[in-house]
Amino acid sequence: MTAQRIDGNALSQKLRADVTFRTTALKARGITPGLAVILVGENPASQVYVRNKVKACEDSGLHSILEKHPASLTEAALLNRIEALNQDTSIHGILVQLPLPEHIDAQKVIEAISPAKDVDGFHIASAGALMTGMPGFWPCTPYGCMKMLESIGYELKGKHAVVIGRSNIVGKPMALMLLQQNATVTICHSATQDLKAITLQADVIVAAVGKRNILTADMVKPGAVVLDVGMNRNEEGKLCGDVDFAGVEQIAGYITPVPGGVGPMTITMLLVNTLEAAERI
Ligand code: GUN
């Protein structure tokens, strides 16, 4: 059996059409959803990411500003900029692209963003809201994964979901979202013993490690749903995920490709969060 692909570009197109529709309705009420993206330094990957985020806003009718600062920007100056954006009524979402230069305390910067504008969902208030099932912004990548499961009508109740990776951005919030849908959740990480024994029991696997081929065909139960959050490069410089796609595709029931899977969904959910921040005004 060859797995069915969950197409992140097609699903994004559908969700972004809804974002555009709701944005138009909001504009008719005199509110244009606005996102401020802050980039500090010259990290080449970050430059591509922020450009894509700003372009996605433009394409969907949202207002966006991109602030580029030199790597020498002080922490105090960055905190001042965030405070100004917290007060700016034309801005509903604030995103500080990570990683930040080492002399800046990223957690302190994240906590400076008003939780009402925390469209990345990284603030401890957002993390606490997710943990307790209260309203708040969900981190975009795991939120996008949940939308992908929803798109195939997948019922998580009682299923065993295995998350590989425990980052604050993906692994931990992913596990909480799956738990909220009544899955039985296992989080695996670098100290996990016998990863394969655990993944073989999984109905759903989310690979979010940042390491090529962390999940191979022999580790997957036939028919399982496999979501690949990885963004790596192979020897030829081609973008690839954490999953050995060619092998796992022969075993899984559903699989997300890289590129064209979770990646576009992350930006889509950023648009959704920004729109919702504006709708809550
Ligand atoms: N760096 C890598 N992914 C992300 C993300 O989703 N948000 C921000 N702010 N920085 C990132």
Side-chain angles (χ1 to χ4, degrees):
M1 187 179 79
T2 305
Q4 286 195 50
R5 293 188 189 195
I6 310 177
D7 183 339
N9 284 320
L11 180 57
S12 280
Q13 231 175 43
K14 221 165 101 179
L15 295 175
R16 289 187 198 192
D18 181 56
V19 167
T20 304
F21 179 78
R22 283 160 62 189
T23 297
T24 306
L26 210 54
K27 281 178 171 172
R29 288 173 38 206
I31 301 165
T32 302
L35 174 69
V37 178
I38 300 179
L39 175 65
V40 184
E42 315 266 312
N43 182 311
S46 291
Q47 292 191 6
V48 175
Y49 293 146
V50 297
R51 212 180 309 132
N52 289 342
K53 289 170 185 179
V54 168
K55 178 162 188 316
C57 282
E58 281 169 16
D59 292 347
S60 293
L62 282 73
H63 165 61
S64 67
I65 56 171
L66 174 56
E67 281 195 19
K68 288 187 179 180
H69 298 281
S72 59
L73 184 76
T74 64
E75 185 181 282
L78 180 54
L79 292 172
N80 278 337
R81 276 309 301 144
I82 289 172
E83 189 44 38
L85 292 165
N86 280 340
Q87 304 297 331
D88 185 337
T89 53
S90 73
I91 294 299
H92 305 92
I94 302 170
L95 181 151
V96 179
Q97 187 66 25
L98 303 177
L100 286 167
E102 273 187 12
H103 67 276
I104 298 178
D105 180 344
Q107 200 56 41
K108 195 167 165 187
V109 168
I110 289 166
E111 302 316 332
I113 298 170
S114 163
K117 298 190 179 188
D118 176 37
V119 288
D120 249 337
F122 294 169
H123 196 287
I124 50 171
S126 304
L130 170 59
M131 189 179 165
T132 52
M134 300 294 284
F137 294 113
W138 283 7
C140 302
T141 300
Y143 192 8
C145 289
M146 294 304 284
K147 285 287 175 190
M148 292 179 113
L149 291 173
E150 190 184 307
S151 77
I152 58 167
Y154 195 79
E155 169 68 60
L156 278 162
K157 186 177 174 184
K159 297 291 192 341
H160 187 188
V162 172
V163 180
I164 315 174
R166 55 173 157 179
S167 71
N168 289 338
I169 295 181
V170 185
K172 282 189 238 174
M174 184 80 253
L176 289 168
M177 290 174 201
L178 293 162
L179 183 63
Q180 201 174 93
Q181 294 297 313
N182 298 311
T184 300
V185 182
T186 303
I187 305 177
C188 299
H189 46 79
S190 50
T192 296
Q193 292 180 12
D194 204 351
L195 177 63
K196 177 177 169 178
I198 298 169
T199 57
L200 272 174
Q201 299 172 28
D203 301 302
V204 176
I205 304 173
V206 182
V209 175
K211 223 184 213 173
R212 271 180 70 201
N213 297 336
I214 191 84
L215 192 77
T216 48
D218 58 312
M219 299 167 74
V220 177
K221 182 165 81 172
V225 179
V226 176
L227 306 181
D228 190 349
V229 178
M231 286 264 254
N232 312 299
R233 299 263 168 200
N234 67 12
E235 295 87 0
E236 293 136 35
K238 268 179 66 182
L239 196 63
C240 61
D242 286 355
V243 175
D244 171 23
F245 187 87
V248 172
E249 188 183 30
Q250 303 305 316
I251 306 291
Y254 288 91
I255 190 166
T256 65
V258 177
V262 175
M265 291 299 294
T266 295
I267 297 188
T268 299
M269 301 326 293
L270 174 67
L271 300 176
V272 169
N273 279 349
T274 304
L275 170 64
E276 290 185 358
E279 285 176 340
R280 286 176 197 178
I281 298 292

